[in-house]
Amino acid sequence: MTSLHTTPVRRRRLGVAAAAAGLFATLLMAGPAAATPDPGDSASTPAKVSTRQEAEATAAIRSGEIPGVDEIVHSRNITHLANVPKDALQGLNTDLAFQGKYAFAGNYDGFRIFDISNPKSPKTVAQVLCPGSQNDISVSGNLLFLSTDSSRSDNSCASTTQPATEKSSWEGMKVFDISDKRNPKYVAAVETACGSHTHTIVPERKNVYVYVSSYSPSETFPDCRPPHDGISIIKVPRQAPEKARIVNFPVLFPDGGNPGAPTNPGVSKTTGCHDITVLPSKDLAAGACMGDGLLFSIKDPENPKIIDRVQDNVNFAFWHSATFNQRADKVVFTDELGGGGAATCNEEVGPKRGADGIYDIVGRGDHRKLVFRSYFKIDRPQADTEVCVAHNGSIIPVKGRDLMVQAWYQGGVSVWDFTDSSKPKEIGYFERGPVTMDEVTTAGPWSAYYYNGYIYSNDIAKGFDVLRIDDRRTDPAKRVRTDELNVQTQPDYFER
């Protein structure tokens, strides 16, 4: 789900009825239509690298140590089936969600719907222009949820950027009706404190709960002032989404959370959560919250209860996302060292910083604890011009094994095994070479997820990729099917 830590902004408290009056979305079908990217939602200007760094990268390509510019390389067990470049939406590609034969791809300019009934040839069904970073995306039944975490002039899809200090600015959650995949309809908006950087849905029969993660308040932002020590919980009635409303803002850090520097140099101060993953079948959630990792109960979805909290003030800079294993006795947390804008997969940074942290869950009930076991980080060399960071991934459902596919920006897609949580190992990969040789550029897979027999990746710059892995360790997963997948709402693949 995310990164590129944009400056959160202010937002105005609108009632749902008033907000709904401003709803508007532009549908862009595959064809000549073009969306105009909003500069306020774009990545920062790429940083130039030194002549020495450029020469080192060039030498590494010539020696075969790293792939050439835009060259595709992969392990023998990975096949690249398809790539669909960007079309009308030219912003940064972000997260993915799935339902039936459709994939839903977020983009800073809106979202795109693909028909993936033939994974070798995905077809664009619709493109919706609705600027507002990051446009983190989820689906449930006939509803699609979209996060806005940038200061906008209003809640419509025709909004423009607006200064963070403007009282009239808007940020929060948008809700679309996707009963007609070719013609999504914008139906509701809910403003949330400090916007919605990411969100996680907890679906029930009549309602969908939405946990909204946001952070970085400021005294200069009228509607996002500190302390911001919790999450917004939205309740969305399935039959009347226009009645969506905030039902709680639970405080997760009554002591203020990790203080960050100077107490803990190099560690982000906790001012909210970045991402939350829920495992509804076990009433569990794991929160990646800047300087803290959380385990909490969601037996009562409106009132989550903290079970345990951990910190890593030696090697973790920014707790970014979380993934449970199938048995719910492990959690993988990712560290977004450099904020998704730095080259961190190199010898200088090393194998423990900017890595995944693997934790066992020990004990029972409210006495469970998170116990650190090891780090995992890709060891394939990356150039100093390549933004590389541990990012979004998912479980590959195989009984008796803990397997995961994960995006690493320009580090590519990694398939790895953490069945032995003390000795994780990579078993497959796919990556492209540097986008350029003279500047640090944000590109590569934002998300890489396993869905119904294939790996789908949303590359920030290059578009939508489809991969297949053929390996005796992962092959049993090809027989597992699910009707819907939001990776931050993990399904129970084997006990349904």
Short mmCIF file of all heavy atoms in Angstrom, two decimals, residues 157-187:
data_model
loop_
_atom_site.label_atom_id
_atom_site.label_comp_id
_atom_site.label_asym_id
_atom_site.label_seq_id
_atom_site.Cartn_x
_atom_site.Cartn_y
_atom_site.Cartn_z
N CYS A 157 -13.79 14.57 -7.44
CA CYS A 157 -12.70 14.07 -8.28
C CYS A 157 -12.19 15.15 -9.23
O CYS A 157 -11.26 14.90 -10.00
CB CYS A 157 -13.15 12.84 -9.06
SG CYS A 157 -13.31 11.37 -8.03
N ALA A 158 -12.79 16.32 -9.17
CA ALA A 158 -12.31 17.46 -9.96
C ALA A 158 -11.55 18.44 -9.09
O ALA A 158 -11.23 19.56 -9.53
CB ALA A 158 -13.50 18.16 -10.63
N SER A 159 -11.22 18.03 -7.87
CA SER A 159 -10.54 18.93 -6.93
C SER A 159 -9.12 19.25 -7.40
O SER A 159 -8.54 18.56 -8.24
CB SER A 159 -10.49 18.30 -5.54
OG SER A 159 -9.64 17.16 -5.55
N THR A 160 -8.56 20.30 -6.83
CA THR A 160 -7.18 20.69 -7.10
C THR A 160 -6.40 20.72 -5.79
O THR A 160 -7.00 20.69 -4.70
CB THR A 160 -7.12 22.07 -7.77
OG1 THR A 160 -7.75 23.03 -6.92
CG2 THR A 160 -7.80 22.04 -9.13
N THR A 161 -5.08 20.80 -5.88
CA THR A 161 -4.28 20.88 -4.67
C THR A 161 -4.52 22.21 -3.97
O THR A 161 -4.88 23.21 -4.60
CB THR A 161 -2.78 20.74 -4.99
OG1 THR A 161 -2.41 21.74 -5.93
CG2 THR A 161 -2.48 19.37 -5.57
N GLN A 162 -4.31 22.18 -2.67
CA GLN A 162 -4.54 23.38 -1.87
C GLN A 162 -3.56 23.36 -0.69
O GLN A 162 -3.23 22.30 -0.19
CB GLN A 162 -5.99 23.36 -1.36
CG GLN A 162 -6.46 24.66 -0.74
CD GLN A 162 -7.98 24.76 -0.73
OE1 GLN A 162 -8.61 25.14 -1.71
NE2 GLN A 162 -8.57 24.39 0.39
N PRO A 163 -3.09 24.52 -0.25
CA PRO A 163 -2.09 24.54 0.83
C PRO A 163 -2.57 23.83 2.09
O PRO A 163 -3.75 23.84 2.42
CB PRO A 163 -1.89 26.04 1.08
CG PRO A 163 -2.25 26.69 -0.20
CD PRO A 163 -3.36 25.86 -0.78
N ALA A 164 -1.64 23.23 2.80
CA ALA A 164 -1.96 22.47 4.00
C ALA A 164 -2.58 23.33 5.09
O ALA A 164 -3.27 22.81 5.97
CB ALA A 164 -0.69 21.81 4.53
N THR A 165 -2.32 24.60 5.06
CA THR A 165 -2.83 25.49 6.10
C THR A 165 -4.22 26.05 5.81
O THR A 165 -4.78 26.78 6.62
CB THR A 165 -1.86 26.66 6.30
OG1 THR A 165 -1.61 27.28 5.03
CG2 THR A 165 -0.53 26.17 6.88
N GLU A 166 -4.79 25.70 4.66
CA GLU A 166 -6.12 26.20 4.29
C GLU A 166 -7.21 25.47 5.07
O GLU A 166 -7.28 24.24 5.04
CB GLU A 166 -6.37 26.01 2.80
CG GLU A 166 -5.84 27.11 1.93
CD GLU A 166 -6.58 28.42 2.14
OE1 GLU A 166 -7.81 28.39 2.36
OE2 GLU A 166 -5.94 29.47 2.12
N LYS A 167 -8.05 26.21 5.74
CA LYS A 167 -9.12 25.62 6.54
C LYS A 167 -10.10 24.83 5.69
O LYS A 167 -10.69 23.85 6.14
CB LYS A 167 -9.86 26.74 7.29
CG LYS A 167 -11.02 26.26 8.16
CD LYS A 167 -10.55 25.35 9.27
CE LYS A 167 -11.72 24.92 10.16
NZ LYS A 167 -11.30 23.91 11.15
N SER A 168 -10.28 25.21 4.45
CA SER A 168 -11.30 24.57 3.60
C SER A 168 -10.81 23.29 2.92
O SER A 168 -11.55 22.66 2.18
CB SER A 168 -11.78 25.54 2.52
OG SER A 168 -10.69 25.94 1.70
N SER A 169 -9.57 22.91 3.16
CA SER A 169 -9.02 21.72 2.49
C SER A 169 -9.73 20.45 2.93
O SER A 169 -10.32 20.38 4.01
CB SER A 169 -7.52 21.60 2.76
OG SER A 169 -6.81 22.68 2.21
N TRP A 170 -9.63 19.44 2.07
CA TRP A 170 -10.29 18.15 2.35
C TRP A 170 -9.32 16.99 2.12
O TRP A 170 -8.54 16.99 1.16
CB TRP A 170 -11.51 17.96 1.45
CG TRP A 170 -12.29 16.71 1.78
CD1 TRP A 170 -13.34 16.61 2.65
CD2 TRP A 170 -12.08 15.39 1.27
NE1 TRP A 170 -13.79 15.31 2.71
CE2 TRP A 170 -13.02 14.53 1.88
CE3 TRP A 170 -11.16 14.84 0.37
CZ2 TRP A 170 -13.09 13.17 1.60
CZ3 TRP A 170 -11.22 13.48 0.11
CH2 TRP A 170 -12.17 12.66 0.71
N GLU A 171 -9.41 15.98 3.01
CA GLU A 171 -8.72 14.69 2.84
C GLU A 171 -9.55 13.62 3.54
O GLU A 171 -10.26 13.91 4.51
CB GLU A 171 -7.34 14.70 3.50
CG GLU A 171 -6.31 15.56 2.86
CD GLU A 171 -4.99 15.46 3.59
OE1 GLU A 171 -4.28 14.46 3.38
OE2 GLU A 171 -4.69 16.38 4.37
N GLY A 172 -9.44 12.37 3.06
CA GLY A 172 -10.17 11.30 3.73
C GLY A 172 -10.46 10.14 2.82
O GLY A 172 -9.67 9.80 1.94
N MET A 173 -11.62 9.51 3.02
CA MET A 173 -12.02 8.31 2.28
C MET A 173 -13.09 8.63 1.25
O MET A 173 -14.02 9.38 1.53
CB MET A 173 -12.58 7.25 3.23
CG MET A 173 -11.56 6.55 4.09
SD MET A 173 -10.28 5.71 3.15
CE MET A 173 -11.30 4.71 2.05
N LYS A 174 -12.93 8.03 0.07
CA LYS A 174 -13.95 8.10 -0.97
C LYS A 174 -14.50 6.70 -1.20
O LYS A 174 -13.77 5.72 -1.11
CB LYS A 174 -13.36 8.66 -2.26
CG LYS A 174 -12.87 10.10 -2.15
CD LYS A 174 -12.05 10.53 -3.34
CE LYS A 174 -11.56 11.97 -3.19
NZ LYS A 174 -10.54 12.33 -4.20
N VAL A 175 -15.77 6.62 -1.53
CA VAL A 175 -16.44 5.33 -1.75
C VAL A 175 -17.12 5.34 -3.11
O VAL A 175 -17.84 6.29 -3.45
CB VAL A 175 -17.48 5.03 -0.65
CG1 VAL A 175 -18.07 3.63 -0.84
CG2 VAL A 175 -16.85 5.17 0.75
N PHE A 176 -16.88 4.28 -3.89
CA PHE A 176 -17.47 4.13 -5.22
C PHE A 176 -18.35 2.89 -5.27
O PHE A 176 -18.07 1.89 -4.60
CB PHE A 176 -16.38 3.98 -6.29
CG PHE A 176 -15.60 5.23 -6.56
CD1 PHE A 176 -14.62 5.66 -5.67
CD2 PHE A 176 -15.83 5.98 -7.70
CE1 PHE A 176 -13.89 6.81 -5.92
CE2 PHE A 176 -15.10 7.14 -7.95
CZ PHE A 176 -14.13 7.55 -7.06
N ASP A 177 -19.40 2.96 -6.08
CA ASP A 177 -20.22 1.79 -6.39
C ASP A 177 -19.65 1.16 -7.67
O ASP A 177 -19.57 1.81 -8.70
CB ASP A 177 -21.67 2.23 -6.62
CG ASP A 177 -22.61 1.05 -6.89
OD1 ASP A 177 -22.20 0.06 -7.54
OD2 ASP A 177 -23.77 1.13 -6.46
N ILE A 178 -19.23 -0.11 -7.57
CA ILE A 178 -18.62 -0.79 -8.73
C ILE A 178 -19.49 -1.96 -9.21
O ILE A 178 -18.98 -2.93 -9.77
CB ILE A 178 -17.20 -1.28 -8.41
CG1 ILE A 178 -17.18 -2.15 -7.14
CG2 ILE A 178 -16.25 -0.11 -8.30
CD1 ILE A 178 -15.89 -2.90 -6.92
N SER A 179 -20.79 -1.85 -8.98
CA SER A 179 -21.68 -2.92 -9.47
C SER A 179 -21.59 -3.02 -10.98
O SER A 179 -21.74 -4.10 -11.55
CB SER A 179 -23.12 -2.66 -9.02
OG SER A 179 -23.53 -1.35 -9.36
N ASP A 180 -21.33 -1.90 -11.66
CA ASP A 180 -21.03 -1.89 -13.09
C ASP A 180 -19.55 -1.56 -13.23
O ASP A 180 -19.15 -0.41 -13.08
CB ASP A 180 -21.89 -0.86 -13.82
CG ASP A 180 -21.62 -0.80 -15.31
OD1 ASP A 180 -20.70 -1.50 -15.80
OD2 ASP A 180 -22.32 -0.03 -16.01
N LYS A 181 -18.74 -2.57 -13.50
CA LYS A 181 -17.29 -2.37 -13.54
C LYS A 181 -16.87 -1.39 -14.62
O LYS A 181 -15.81 -0.77 -14.53
CB LYS A 181 -16.57 -3.71 -13.74
CG LYS A 181 -16.88 -4.77 -12.67
CD LYS A 181 -16.39 -4.35 -11.31
CE LYS A 181 -16.53 -5.47 -10.29
NZ LYS A 181 -17.92 -5.84 -9.98
N ARG A 182 -17.66 -1.26 -15.65
CA ARG A 182 -17.31 -0.34 -16.74
C ARG A 182 -17.72 1.10 -16.45
O ARG A 182 -17.34 2.01 -17.19
CB ARG A 182 -17.95 -0.81 -18.05
CG ARG A 182 -17.43 -2.16 -18.52
CD ARG A 182 -17.98 -2.56 -19.87
NE ARG A 182 -17.40 -3.84 -20.31
CZ ARG A 182 -16.22 -3.96 -20.88
NH1 ARG A 182 -15.49 -2.88 -21.12
NH2 ARG A 182 -15.76 -5.14 -21.23
N ASN A 183 -18.45 1.29 -15.38
CA ASN A 183 -18.95 2.63 -15.08
C ASN A 183 -19.05 2.84 -13.57
O ASN A 183 -20.14 2.98 -13.02
CB ASN A 183 -20.31 2.83 -15.74
CG ASN A 183 -20.78 4.27 -15.68
OD1 ASN A 183 -19.98 5.20 -15.62
ND2 ASN A 183 -22.09 4.45 -15.65
N PRO A 184 -17.93 2.88 -12.86
CA PRO A 184 -17.97 3.10 -11.40
C PRO A 184 -18.61 4.45 -11.07
O PRO A 184 -18.44 5.43 -11.80
CB PRO A 184 -16.48 3.09 -11.01
CG PRO A 184 -15.80 2.32 -12.10
CD PRO A 184 -16.56 2.67 -13.35
N LYS A 185 -19.35 4.48 -9.97
CA LYS A 185 -20.04 5.70 -9.54
C LYS A 185 -19.52 6.13 -8.17
O LYS A 185 -19.47 5.32 -7.24
CB LYS A 185 -21.55 5.45 -9.46
CG LYS A 185 -22.20 5.02 -10.76
CD LYS A 185 -22.17 6.13 -11.80
CE LYS A 185 -22.96 5.73 -13.06
NZ LYS A 185 -22.88 6.77 -14.11
N TYR A 186 -19.15 7.38 -8.06
CA TYR A 186 -18.69 7.95 -6.79
C TYR A 186 -19.92 8.25 -5.93
O TYR A 186 -20.78 9.03 -6.32
CB TYR A 186 -17.89 9.20 -7.11
CG TYR A 186 -17.19 9.90 -5.98
CD1 TYR A 186 -17.13 9.39 -4.69
CD2 TYR A 186 -16.54 11.11 -6.22
CE1 TYR A 186 -16.46 10.05 -3.68
CE2 TYR A 186 -15.87 11.80 -5.22
CZ TYR A 186 -15.83 11.26 -3.95
OH TYR A 186 -15.17 11.94 -2.95
N VAL A 187 -20.00 7.62 -4.73
CA VAL A 187 -21.24 7.69 -3.97
C VAL A 187 -21.10 8.29 -2.58
O VAL A 187 -22.10 8.67 -1.97
CB VAL A 187 -21.90 6.30 -3.85
CG1 VAL A 187 -22.33 5.79 -5.21
CG2 VAL A 187 -20.98 5.30 -3.15
#
